[in-house]
Amino acid sequence: MTTRLEHNAADTRFEIYVDDTLAGYADYAEREDTKVRDFHHTMTFPEFRGQGIAAKVVEYALQDSRDAGFSVVPTCWYVEKYIADHREYADLVA
């Protein structure tokens, strides 16, 4: 099983693929003027649940946001919980 993470900027979401099949994503709205990404939905498709897919894509999205100089708004409950459980990302919250 191979996993691939991608930033799909055209669809404003971070995606995770398992063996070239889309397994889940975290989508956001971006405010370029204030450098903020509002993460409002995280999705893992049913056949991929229980494998840590959501955690992998959210970690990737948060790290990409940090690297690109964005703050984040964790509107999505899962992103909010992930940040609460991984305090190294707490400084990103706008």
Side-chain angles (χ1 to χ4, degrees), residues 67-81:
D67 292 347
F70 283 86
S71 297
V72 301
V73 175
T75 301
C76 169
W77 71 268
Y78 186 83
V79 175
E80 181 179 40
K81 181 183 180 322

Side-chain angles (χ1 to χ4, degrees), residues 51-72:
Q51 301 175 38
I53 296 294
K56 289 176 186 172
V57 75
V58 167
E59 179 180 28
Y60 178 72
L62 293 174
Q63 190 58 53
D64 183 89
S65 296
R66 172 176 278 144
D67 292 347
F70 283 86
S71 297
V72 301

Side-chain angles (χ1 to χ4, degrees), residues 15-86:
E15 301 170 336
I16 185 167
Y17 292 83
V18 175
D19 293 333
D20 294 322
T21 301
L22 182 63
Y25 58 85
D27 58 8
Y28 63 92
E30 186 172 287
R31 295 189 296 260
E32 184 65 40
D33 59 329
T34 57
K35 299 288 278 186
V36 174
R37 288 180 178 158
D38 182 348
F39 286 92
H40 52 265
H41 185 70
T42 302
M43 171 69 176
T44 301
F45 294 106
E47 62 270 29
F48 296 101
R49 291 187 181 148
Q51 301 175 38
I53 296 294
K56 289 176 186 172
V57 75
V58 167
E59 179 180 28
Y60 178 72
L62 293 174
Q63 190 58 53
D64 183 89
S65 296
R66 172 176 278 144
D67 292 347
F70 283 86
S71 297
V72 301
V73 175
T75 301
C76 169
W77 71 268
Y78 186 83
V79 175
E80 181 179 40
K81 181 183 180 322
Y82 187 90
I83 292 171
D85 292 344
H86 299 86

